[in-house]
Amino acid sequence: MTAPGDADPQVFYPSLRYTDAAAGIAWLEEAFGFTLLAAHRGEDGSIGHAEMSYGDGVVMLGSESTAAETWGERAGLGWIYVVTNEPDALFERATGAGAEVVRPLSDQDYGSRDFSVKDLEGNIWSFGTYAPER
């Protein structure tokens, strides 16, 4: 048995649920500059699965389903950290789009310049210059 990362690249795809995934997609585009890669709608028009990119990263999201209670896929319960070289500009963009500030833009003692905001469903998005090493 190989250890994680030995044979295959270790890749994570954060996944979030939104009560209104279409509104979530539009907001992520406006507030952070995410790009929609794919969106698959169900017969009722809800978005069952969508993928959005930011730099080299991808986040998956979809509408909260009727199985949310069973799977723990409730809207507004996520927290994601994203590395950026432009935290100041991104903070201005996010707050200009109405993001609720959880932690204002500031320099950290470990060298990062970062901030945290809530999206329209309450998920917390943190952006900063700190990039974890493998």
Side-chain angles (χ1 to χ4, degrees):
M1 180 173 193
T2 59
D6 286 349
D8 295 320
Q10 187 173 0
V11 180
F12 297 89
Y13 294 97
S15 302
L16 299 170
R17 291 290 174 206
Y18 287 83
T19 304
D20 184 347
I25 288 168
W27 195 86
L28 292 171
E29 289 172 329
E30 178 185 355
F32 304 137
F34 276 56
T35 301
L36 182 63
L37 301 174
H40 305 278
R41 294 187 179 271
E43 290 180 12
D44 64 355
S46 66
I47 296 175
H49 176 81
E51 298 171 7
M52 298 189 79
S53 67
Y54 180 87
D56 291 334
V58 174
V59 64
M60 298 187 300
L61 62 98
S63 298
E64 187 176 75
S65 72
T66 55
E69 226 23 79
T70 304
W71 291 97
E73 298 176 347
R74 302 294 308 207
L77 298 178
W79 177 67
I80 295 177
Y81 176 79
V82 181
V83 177
T84 180
N85 291 327
E86 301 290 335
D88 294 73
L90 194 55
F91 181 76
E92 292 301 317
R93 181 178 184 153
T95 55
E100 177 186 341
V101 177
V102 174
R103 189 170 37 84
L105 181 66
S106 59
D107 295 316
Q108 305 304 318
D109 60 359
Y110 50 89
S112 184
R113 181 160 177 78
D114 51 37
F115 67 92
S116 298
V117 296
K118 285 186 181 181
D119 67 18
L120 72 169
E121 296 263 357
N123 295 301
I124 297 174
W125 292 84
S126 296
F127 290 84
T129 57
Y130 173 75
E133 292 185 31
R134 288 174 36 131

